[in-house]
Structures are given as C-alpha cells and as structure tokens.
C-alpha cells in the first residue's frame, strides 16, 4: 500500500498536467520512458508531482514512482521516514505532493488458515473532496527525480480494507508540505483520515 491511484481528466488536473508539460524534464524522461498524464498509475510510471522549484515556488514535475535499489521501494512509513537512511534526507527537505482523483486498495482478508488473500478493489478519496493530495518524498537518481508515497495507519472507516493508508493532507497545506523549511512532523498531525471507499469495477 499504496500501489495504484487514478487521475481523472478534470479541469484542476488539466491545469496540473499543463504545468508539468512545461518542465524540461518531460523531454529527458521521454527519451527513456513515456510520461503518463491520466488514468491508472502504477509503480515505475512517470507522473505529475508537485514540489518546490529552485526558487522555492510551487511547480509540477514529471517524476518516476519508486526508489530503485535491491528492491523497488514504492512507499515509506511516515512513522520512521525521519530516521531511515533511505528516506531521512528527503523527509528533511525533498517533500512532494502526488495529485490524484483517488487511490486504490484491495481488501486484505485472512482465511481460516491464517493466510491473507486479496478481496475486493476499492477506490478511496477524502470525504467531500474531488482531489486526493498524497504526500511523498523524492530524490534524484542519475539526475532524474524519483518519488515514494508516505503511508500511515488507516482511518477507522477503511480499517477493514487494509492496515495502512497513504498520508493525505488537505489542499490548503500542500504549499507548506513542499516547503523545505516547514516541519513535516507538525503537518502530519493534520492528515486527512475521513475518507470514503467505493467498490471499484
């Protein structure tokens, strides 16, 4: 968790994608892989991500999902990101927001034998919102940006689905999250846990 999310072609997302397409990184990425804009997003996809630019202003960049290494790291636990060697530098100054319409999660069911099996697929988003602002961390690999999505304990309404959920912030805190001078530990306390889940087709 989180290993899939979806971007609808709404006006707000069109503006975000348009900002991304102005980045010089699009051309660099497209020499290697195709940048994605809408639809279902998976690890290793190159997608729109909001972060601070060199002038410390909000900007949108194409970033690849997953830190590479011995294994692909898609997520980072918010409880330990500040101290884990892989994530602590990004936690301190390279934070990002992954804009989504909603994210997907598959119900984890425990059978009589104690083993976990996959159940229904759910589309999950903040209650009363058409956008989902997923918190992430990024770093550079070979001069290109890669990101992971932070996770936390789930809200009560979706605990039956999975024991983790992405760290989601309200829209008005997006700018503070990507600000290198802000304190992420303080912002985590404002995380959105009131979410709604609908079975996905």
């Amino acid at each position: 968790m989180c290993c899939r999310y979806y971007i609808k072609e709404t006006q707000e997302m069109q503006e975000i994608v348009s900002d991304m397409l102005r980045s010089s990184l699009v051309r660099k990425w497209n020499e290697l892989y195709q940048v994605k804009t809408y639809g279902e997003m998976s690890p290793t996809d190159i997608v729109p991500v909001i972060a601070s630019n060199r002038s410390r202003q909000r900007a949108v960049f194409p970033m690849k999902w997953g830190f590479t290494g011995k294994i692909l790291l898609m997520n980072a636990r918010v409880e330990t990101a500040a101290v884990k060697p892989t994530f602590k530098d990004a936690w301190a100054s390279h934070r990002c927001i992954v804009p989504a319409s909603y994210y997907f999660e598959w119900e984890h069911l425990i059978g009589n034998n104690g083993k976990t099996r996959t159940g229904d697929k759910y589309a999950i988003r903040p209650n009363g919102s058409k956008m989902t602002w997923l918190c992430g961390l990024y770093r550079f690999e070979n001069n290109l940006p890669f990101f992971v999505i932070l996770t936390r304990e789930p809200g009560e309404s979706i605990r039956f689905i999975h024991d983790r959920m992405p760290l989601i912030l309200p829209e008005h805190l997006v700018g503070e999250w990507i600000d290198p001078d802000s304190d992420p530990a303080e912002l985590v306390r404002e995380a959105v846990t009131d979410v709604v889940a609908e079975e996905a087709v």
Side-chain angles (χ1 to χ4, degrees), residues 3-184:
C3 64
R4 294 285 192 282
Y5 68 91
Y6 197 90
I7 295 180
K8 288 184 175 181
E9 196 170 347
T10 61
Q11 181 176 346
E12 188 164 13
M13 280 305 313
Q14 286 175 344
E15 292 173 359
I16 290 171
V17 168
S18 293
D19 286 346
M20 179 194 70
L21 293 176
R22 287 193 285 268
S23 171
S24 62
L25 287 170
V26 171
R27 178 181 55 80
K28 293 180 180 179
W29 274 123
N30 278 334
E31 292 174 357
L32 303 169
Y33 310 98
Q34 184 65 42
V35 175
K36 291 185 69 173
T37 52
Y38 303 106
E40 186 167 338
M41 306 301 178
S42 307
T44 73
D45 285 342
I46 302 159
V47 299
V49 177
I50 300 168
S52 291
N53 62 19
R54 292 177 181 176
S55 302
R56 298 201 170 193
Q57 296 176 326
R58 173 173 168 162
V60 187
F61 303 95
M63 297 191 190
K64 189 171 184 178
W65 187 0
F67 286 3
T68 58
K70 291 182 179 179
I71 61 171
L72 181 70
L73 298 175
M74 304 174 294
N75 303 135
R77 296 174 70 94
V78 70
E79 297 90 344
T80 57
V83 296
K84 288 277 189 179
T86 304
F87 305 118
K88 65 179 183 179
D89 290 343
W91 174 264
S93 61
H94 283 170
R95 296 180 299 276
C96 59
I97 290 288
V98 183
S101 301
Y102 44 82
Y103 75 93
F104 292 119
E105 190 55 78
W106 284 260
E107 189 174 8
H108 281 44
L109 305 172
I110 300 176
N112 294 331
N113 59 1
K115 293 184 178 180
T116 301
R117 62 181 177 85
T118 301
D120 293 330
K121 180 182 181 182
Y122 287 87
I124 304 171
R125 59 175 174 75
N127 192 9
S129 176
K130 293 182 179 179
M131 288 290 296
T132 305
W133 307 100
L134 305 169
C135 296
L137 308 174
Y138 72 95
R139 71 181 186 188
F140 288 90
E141 301 178 14
N142 298 319
N143 295 316
L144 288 169
F146 291 66
F147 74 94
V148 294
I149 292 175
L150 288 160
T151 68
R152 52 157 292 147
E153 290 188 359
E156 287 301 323
S157 63
I158 57 168
R159 194 173 293 272
F160 74 97
I161 300 174
H162 199 282
D163 62 357
R164 303 294 292 176
M165 69 176 288
L167 178 66
I168 301 169
L169 283 179
E171 183 175 6
H172 72 275
L173 292 178
V174 167
E176 288 190 50
W177 179 259
I178 65 174
D179 182 353
D181 294 327
S182 66
D183 182 356

